[in-house]
Amino acid sequence: MPLTTIGPRALEIRGVEKSFKKRRQEPVRALRGIDLTIDKGEVVGILGPNGSGKSTLVRVISTLITPDAGTVDVFGIDALHHPKTVQKMMNRVSVEASFFKKLSARENLLYGSKLYGLTSAEASPRITEILEGIGFRMKRAGEPMENLSRGMQQKIALARALLTSPMLLLLDEPTTGLDPRSKKDVQAVIWDIRRRHDASILLCTHDMGEAEELCDRIGIMVDGELIAIDTADGLKRKYQSGPELPTLEDVFMAATGTTLEEASMEEEEKELVTA
Amino acid sequence: MSELAHAPRAERPRWLLELIAAWGFAQRNFFLTKRYFLWEVVWLAYATVSAMSIGFIGVDVDRGGVDGARLTTFLLIGSILWGYLSMIFDLLSETVSWERWEGTIEYTFMSPASRATQLLGTSIYAIAYGVARTALIFGIVSLFFDMDLSNANYFSALVILVLCSISLVGLGMVAAVMPLLSPEKGQQVSSIFTAVLLLVSGVYYSVSVLPGWMQAIAKFSPITYALEGMRAALLDGATLNETWPSIWPLLIMGAILVPGGLLIFRAGERYAKRTGLLKRSG
Ligand SMILES: Nc1ncnc2c1ncn2[C@@H]1O[C@H](COP(=O)(O)OP(=O)(O)OP(=O)(O)O)[C@@H](O)[C@H]1O
Ligand SMILES: [Mg+2]
C-alpha cells in the first residue's frame, strides 16, 4: 500500500448525506456525513449490518444516486459534475449478478464492454482470456447465464467489471449468499485482481474474515455513519481492553454494542415490519 | 499499471465511444431476438394471421358490389403499418422496464453510454427488425390477396415510412420515461396509450367516421398521418407533393417528439437518481 501517493487519490468523499423519503413515513437517513478516502492501489473494506447504508454509498459513488450534500471525487474528478468522465474509470459488482439471464456469458460481456467503448474485436480475446483466468470452461460460453451456478455468475460479474479496465472497482457484497466453496473461489479472484491489476477497490461485506484478509483498511458502518476506519490491527488496538488483541468480531461488538449478526437480524425485522 | 489499463478506448473521441455503445444496444437486442427465436416465429405467425383475418373483410364485402380489392388493400395497409409502428413504440417504451426486469438497469445507467445513445441504439434495432418483419408479413399476405397496388408510388411510401418511424421513436421515448418513474404503473400507462392510438388513428376505417372529439385526438397521433399518407401513396399513387398534407405533420411531430423525448428521458433519469428509483424495487 503506497503511503504517499502522487496525484489525486482514487476516491475522496466528503460530508456525503442521503435521505430517502418514504410515503407516510419518516425519511430514512441512509448516509450521514460520510468522509472516506481510498488511495491508489488501496483496498478499503466497509463492514456493516443490513441496512447500514453500504449499497447506498456504492450507488452514490457509481453515480446512480445523487447525494443530498457532500462531494465525491474519483481520481480528482468531481463525480457529481462530471459523471461521464468518472463512469469510464470505474465498474462495480453487486450482490445480484445482474445479467440478461437468457443471453450467454459471452453475449453479456460483449454488451457490457461496448457500453464502455470496446469493439467486439477488442473485447473478444480479452473475454476469453479473463474467463479462462477465472476457471470458466469456454465450451459453456454460449449457454444462457441462468444455467450457470450463482458462484460462476458472480465470477463473470467480476469479469465484466475487469473487462472495462476500471481504476476504481466497487464490490458490494460480492460473496454474500454463496456457498462456502464458491465464496472461496470468488475471494480468490478478488485477491488475484488485487495482486495483478493494481486497481483501487472498495469492498462492502458482512464477512469479517473476508474484510480482514482482503483489505488494507476497514471501516465500520452503522446506521449510515462510518464510526471507525483503520487497518485491522489499528482497529483491534483501538478497541483493546485486555492484554490480548481482540478479534474483529470483538471490535465490531465494542464499536457498535452488538454483533454483526444481531444488527442484521434487527434490521431485517424492521424491514419486515415496514414492508 | 496493469496490462488492462492500456485500453485503446482511452484515446477514442467521445462520439466514437457513443457509437460503439449504440451498436452494443442494437446488438444486444439482436442477441435477445436470436435467443427467443421460437417466440419470434410465433409472433410473426400471429401478426400474419391477424392481418389476413382483417384482409378477408375486404374480400367478403366484394360480393356486395363494392371495390373489394381496394378495401382489402386499405385494410391490409392499416393492419400491417399499425403492426410495424406499434412494435417500434413498444420496443422503445420497454427500454427501461425490460432492464428493470432483468436487473441490469443499474449497470446500464452507471456506464458512460448516454441515454441518447441507448435510445438511438434501441431505435436502430427496432426499425431494422420492424422493416424485416413487416416485409415478410407483407410478402406472405400478398400471396393470399388480390391487392390493388397498380398505381402505387413506392417512393412516396418510403418517405412516409421513414418519417413516421422517426415520430414513433419519439413517442416511444416519451413513454419509456414512465417505467423509470413508476416501476409498476409505467408499463400499464403505455398499454392504455397504445389502445387509444389504435382507436383514433384510423387503422381499419377513415378517421372521418369517428365522433368529433375522437377526431380531435386523432389530429395529435402521428399514426393518423402515416396511414393517410401511406394509403394515398400505395392506393392512389400520390406523389411526394400530393402527400404533403401527411408529410408536414409528421415532420413537425418528429422534430418535437425526438428531442422532447430525449429531454424528458434525461430529466426522468436525474429525478430517479435523486429519489433512488433506479433500484429494482422498494
Ligand atoms: N432506493 C432506495 N429507496 C428508498 N430507500 C432506500 C433506497 N436504498 C436504500 N434505502 C434505505 O436506506 C437504508 C440503507 O440501505 P442500503 O441498501 O444502503 O444498506 P446496506 O448496508 O447495503 O444493506 P444490505 O446489507 O442489506 O445490502 C435502508 O434503510 C434502506 O431501506
Ligand atoms: Mg447492500
Side-chain angles (χ1 to χ4, degrees):
Chain A
M1 177 193 34
L3 286 177
T4 49
T5 43
I6 308 148
R9 290 185 151 124
L11 180 69
E12 183 148 3
I13 294 179
R14 296 275 166 241
V16 162
E17 299 268 342
K18 185 71 203 174
S19 300
F20 294 108
K21 294 191 184 54
K22 301 227 159 150
R23 208 173 290 169
R24 275 181 257 111
Q25 275 179 43
E26 288 279 288
V28 179
R29 281 187 72 189
L31 296 176
R32 311 176 189 223
I34 300 286
D35 293 323
L36 174 70
T37 58
I38 299 181
D39 281 328
K40 278 182 191 157
E42 193 185 21
V43 180
V44 172
I46 303 282
L47 271 175
N50 288 119
S52 54
K54 303 181 299 293
S55 299
T56 305
L57 180 63
V58 167
R59 290 195 175 96
V60 165
I61 301 166
S62 51
T63 72
L64 291 167
I65 284 181
T66 316
D68 301 332
T71 58
V72 178
D73 287 355
V74 178
F75 288 92
I77 293 160
D78 180 345
L80 302 176
H81 293 100
H82 306 284
K84 273 253 140 83
T85 319
V86 167
Q87 282 160 348
K88 275 186 225 164
M89 299 194 283
M90 59 190 176
N91 214 325
R92 158 185 180 214
V93 175
S94 51
V95 64
E96 311 97 12
S98 311
F99 286 106
F100 282 86
K101 297 177 255 313
K102 294 276 180 211
L103 296 189
S104 67
R106 172 160 229 119
E107 287 167 334
N108 270 295
L109 294 180
L110 279 174
Y111 166 60
S113 40
K114 283 214 176 61
L115 297 186
Y116 289 75
L118 288 171
T119 63
S120 298
E122 289 156 356
S124 278
R126 287 170 60 180
I127 289 175
T128 309
E129 182 194 320
I130 293 179
L131 284 182
E132 276 170 353
I134 59 169
F136 181 76
R137 274 174 297 136
M138 286 312 285
K139 65 171 195 263
R140 301 195 73 182
E143 255 181 70
M145 286 296 293
E146 60 187 3
N147 293 1
L148 307 175
S149 71
R150 275 263 294 125
M152 189 44 86
Q153 291 189 21
Q154 213 53 359
K155 286 201 273 179
I156 294 173
L158 278 161
R160 167 173 60 193
L162 283 185
L163 261 172
T164 67
S165 316
M167 296 156 74
L168 176 63
L169 190 56
L170 307 168
L171 305 177
D172 188 2
E173 302 190 33
T175 64
T176 299
L178 296 183
D179 60 89
R181 226 203 104 153
S182 311
K183 197 165 185 158
K184 281 268 168 295
D185 269 10
V186 173
Q187 284 167 350
V189 174
I190 299 172
W191 185 250
D192 198 47
I193 294 170
R194 185 193 156 139
R195 192 170 54 79
R196 293 200 316 173
H197 297 309
D198 180 42
S200 314
I201 301 177
L202 178 68
L203 170 66
C204 297
T205 179
H206 284 184
D207 187 317
M208 304 268 181
E210 181 171 299
E212 196 160 1
E213 189 180 338
L214 295 172
C215 303
D216 298 312
R217 283 188 300 143
I218 299 168
I220 296 180
M221 194 159 178
V222 181
D223 282 338
E225 255 178 305
L226 206 51
I227 57 174
I229 182 160
D230 205 335
T231 59
D233 274 348
L235 285 175
K236 287 175 185 172
R237 264 196 294 278
K238 196 162 151 195
Y239 289 94
Q240 183 171 17
S241 50
E244 271 175 53
L245 272 187
T247 64
L248 211 50
E249 275 89 352
D250 298 332
V251 169
F252 192 86
M253 179 80 183
T256 66
T258 166
T259 66
L260 189 54
E261 287 74 27
E262 271 171 16
S264 286
M265 295 266 275
E266 269 170 36
E267 188 59 36
E268 261 157 38
E269 274 160 24
K270 255 196 265 171
E271 302 249 312
L272 278 180
V273 173
T274 53
Chain B
M1 272 256 129
S2 75
E3 72 267 32
L4 290 180
H6 300 286
R9 71 199 156 93
E11 297 93 56
R12 286 204 172 122
R14 162 94 188 272
W15 64 267
L16 188 56
L17 293 176
E18 298 283 0
L19 210 64
I20 293 171
W23 176 240
F25 286 108
Q27 187 188 41
R28 179 203 75 195
N29 282 0
F30 173 67
F31 288 153
L32 284 168
T33 304
K34 236 174 34 180
R35 195 60 79 166
Y36 289 97
F37 185 72
L38 268 182
W39 275 113
E40 294 299 327
V41 175
V42 172
W43 288 324
L44 182 74
Y46 187 89
T48 311
V49 168
S50 83
M52 284 170 66
S53 70
I54 300 287
F56 281 116
I57 298 175
V59 180
D60 197 11
V61 167
D62 204 4
R63 294 179 305 196
V66 185
D67 183 352
R70 190 180 163 88
L71 181 59
T72 304
T73 316
F74 178 96
L75 288 169
L76 286 174
I77 292 172
S79 172
I80 293 173
L81 192 60
W82 166 255
Y84 168 75
L85 292 176
S86 60
M87 194 227 44
I88 290 191
F89 176 80
D90 286 346
L91 267 180
L92 271 131
S93 69
E94 283 166 9
T95 312
V96 170
S97 38
W98 184 271
E99 291 219 30
R100 241 189 224 290
W101 178 71
E102 290 275 15
T104 53
I105 186 163
E106 289 198 325
Y107 286 84
T108 304
F109 276 61
M110 70 176 278
S111 79
S114 75
R115 298 288 74 77
T117 302
Q118 180 176 8
L119 293 167
L120 174 74
T122 310
S123 318
I124 290 173
Y125 184 74
I127 292 175
Y129 168 83
V131 165
R133 207 179 86 143
T134 306
L136 249 158
I137 297 174
F138 195 78
I140 300 172
V141 165
S142 61
L143 297 177
F144 288 87
F145 295 97
D146 182 16
M147 288 208 270
D148 178 11
L149 291 170
S150 48
N151 295 323
N153 184 328
Y154 290 104
F155 179 66
S156 307
L158 187 69
V159 172
I160 298 275
L161 189 70
V162 170
L163 290 178
C164 66
S165 302
I166 294 172
S167 292
L168 262 291
V169 162
L171 214 53
M173 287 178 183
V174 176
V177 78
M178 289 183 290
L180 198 57
L181 305 183
S182 166
E184 303 88 35
K185 299 195 195 84
Q187 205 58 43
Q188 295 160 357
V189 173
S190 56
S191 297
I192 294 173
F193 189 71
T194 316
V196 172
L197 284 180
L198 174 62
L199 179 67
V200 303
S201 307
V203 175
Y204 302 121
Y205 35 78
S206 304
V207 173
S208 59
V209 306
L210 293 173
W213 62 274
M214 283 193 200
Q215 291 195 32
I217 304 177
K219 286 209 169 53
F220 295 96
S221 161
I223 300 185
T224 307
Y225 304 98
L227 286 163
E228 252 174 38
M230 190 60 80
R231 283 175 175 142
L234 290 181
L235 283 169
D236 304 321
T239 62
L240 218 44
N241 262 338
E242 289 162 333
T243 50
W244 180 246
S246 313
I247 287 180
W248 70 260
L250 286 174
L251 278 173
I252 291 179
M253 286 188 189
I256 293 173
L257 285 171
V258 173
L262 275 176
L263 280 177
I264 292 176
F265 203 76
R266 279 224 288 272
E269 180 188 13
R270 274 199 300 277
Y271 178 78
K273 287 183 170 180
R274 265 207 323 276
T275 48
L277 283 172
L278 283 182
K279 218 174 121 180
R280 194 142 56 152
S281 53

